[in-house]
Amino acid sequence: MARAEANGIEIEYETFGAPGDPALLLVAGLGQQLLAYPAEFCRMLAGAGFHVVRYDNRDSGLSSGTPEDVPPPDWQAIVSNDYSSASYTVPDLAEDAAALLTALGIGSAHLVGVSMGGMIVQQLAILRPDLVRSLTSVMSTTGERAVGRPSPEASAVLFAPQQRTRQAALTQMVRSLQVLASPEYPTPEEELYAYVAAAHDRAHRPLGTARQLAAVMCSPDRTAELARLDVPALVVHGDDDCLIDPSGGRATAAAIPGARLLTVPGMGHDLPRQLWRRLADEIIRLAKEAEAARNGSAPRGAEPTDGVRA
């Protein structure tokens, strides 16, 4: 792993594949670290001929961010539409991603974002279309308040009090992931514990997660700006997502001209191992089609290997 100075902060990142291949940037979700994109999944993408970059958003993982002495978000004020306590918004996080690409000498990239990461890549495509070769938005939404709303159980996960001890925090994180998990693609509890333990011990930053949640809540609706995009786009959403209702994915696909919507039965708000190959194939398909269009040739190996279709 390495670190780059970008947009006034230090961003921790890791790459897979050959630097000369087309770049593919993976953007993590709320409170997630670059670990949210498993190395095996990254190697699937790199093996198809892409230079894959995964990184920690500001205030998560090993990236820097808001000074510790800055007060936390004022939730009562935020729900009353007073956003002054938010340290930044989704457009700021998109500028971080743009600055990282610049710092790495990457002129443009295929963008993939999950959950909040989907919001970030949407915003990056709006702000810097010159940086975008293709756009994949996974289990995300447009920012329109009427769509993509969480269930009461999922909302409880977002605002659960933080536990004081490591073991209590790990147990809470596992239980939270189980609430959001894909019903048809369960992850063994021991695998969840291993993941949350690795993430916790690498960097435990609950205040950073709160600041990111405030950024999402205080950011504007992107629908009108998404309608002006001219980029190959794929929208993926599980039909059992309780954190971002599938209406968020449908609205995203409807907003982006020409976007393809893939609804996955039995998928919740996670990336279970059983779906890695499927999702990788879809990302590869879109990216290769986009590369072929840029080069004026037919795509090679762009068809999914498992027969998944929108």
Side-chain angles (χ1 to χ4, degrees):
M1 297 186 188
R3 185 169 293 192
E5 294 187 5
N7 202 27
I9 61 172
E10 292 187 335
I11 297 179
E12 188 81 6
Y13 70 93
E14 185 176 19
T15 64
F16 299 79
D21 287 338
L24 194 156
L25 183 70
L26 300 175
V27 186
L30 175 69
Q32 297 293 304
Q33 304 177 39
L34 55 76
L35 301 178
Y37 291 101
E40 182 181 340
F41 178 76
C42 295
R43 286 190 287 267
M44 290 178 185
L45 300 172
F50 296 96
H51 181 219
V52 178
V53 181
R54 63 177 185 173
Y55 73 99
D56 294 329
N57 287 308
R58 68 166 64 199
D59 284 335
S60 66
L62 302 180
S63 291
S64 64
T66 310
E68 291 296 323
D69 59 353
V70 173
D74 182 338
W75 300 118
Q76 185 173 355
I78 287 173
V79 298
S80 300
N81 298 320
D82 175 359
Y83 301 152
S84 58
S85 66
S87 298
Y88 45 84
T89 60
V90 169
D92 296 308
L93 295 171
E95 292 286 4
D96 291 348
L100 175 62
L101 291 175
T102 299
L104 298 182
I106 296 173
S108 60
H110 300 282
L111 307 181
V112 178
V114 170
S115 194
M116 184 186 76
M119 303 173 196
I120 293 170
V121 298
Q122 292 171 30
Q123 190 69 58
L124 180 54
I126 291 166
L127 295 174
R128 293 291 306 275
D130 57 302
L131 293 179
V132 185
R133 292 179 177 230
S134 72
L135 168 64
T136 301
S137 178
V138 184
M139 54 192 182
S140 194
T141 187
T142 61
E144 180 187 347
R145 300 300 188 258
V147 300
R149 297 180 65 85
S151 69
E153 294 78 11
S155 292
V157 167
L158 290 179
F159 292 99
Q162 293 299 316
Q163 301 298 314
R164 294 180 179 274
T165 68
R166 177 181 182 275
Q167 187 55 52
L170 295 185
T171 299
Q172 180 188 48
M173 286 187 282
V174 168
R175 299 293 176 258
S176 296
L177 292 178
Q178 289 174 328
V179 170
L180 307 180
S182 299
E184 296 299 319
Y185 305 99
T187 299
E189 190 166 293
E190 59 271 22
E191 187 173 326
L192 289 177
Y193 265 106
Y195 167 71
V196 299
H200 181 281
D201 294 345
R202 181 173 181 262
H204 182 53
R205 301 175 68 177
L207 180 55
T209 300
R211 296 192 195 283
Q212 290 180 0
L213 179 58
V216 170
M217 295 176 66
C218 296
S219 294
D221 181 2
R222 293 174 294 279
T223 304
E225 293 174 302
L226 290 173
R228 292 191 285 270
L229 292 183
D230 181 16
V231 60
L234 169 68
V235 176
V236 181
H237 218 107
D239 68 358
D240 275 305
D241 191 332
C242 65
L243 184 60
I244 297 181
D245 183 83
S247 60
R250 293 192 295 270
T252 304
I256 302 173
R260 185 166 62 92
L261 174 63
L262 173 64
T263 301
V264 183
M267 177 181 172
H269 200 83
D270 64 347
L271 294 179
R273 181 182 298 273
Q274 302 95 313
L275 293 177
W276 291 353
R277 182 73 262 172
R278 181 181 294 188
L279 179 58
D281 283 341
E282 290 292 341
I283 294 168
I284 292 164
R285 174 187 176 185
L286 176 71
K288 288 195 171 183
E289 288 174 348
E291 288 297 309
R294 288 169 63 93
N295 299 327
S297 61
R300 296 180 180 178
E303 287 299 311
T305 59
D306 62 356
V308 175
R309 295 293 185 272

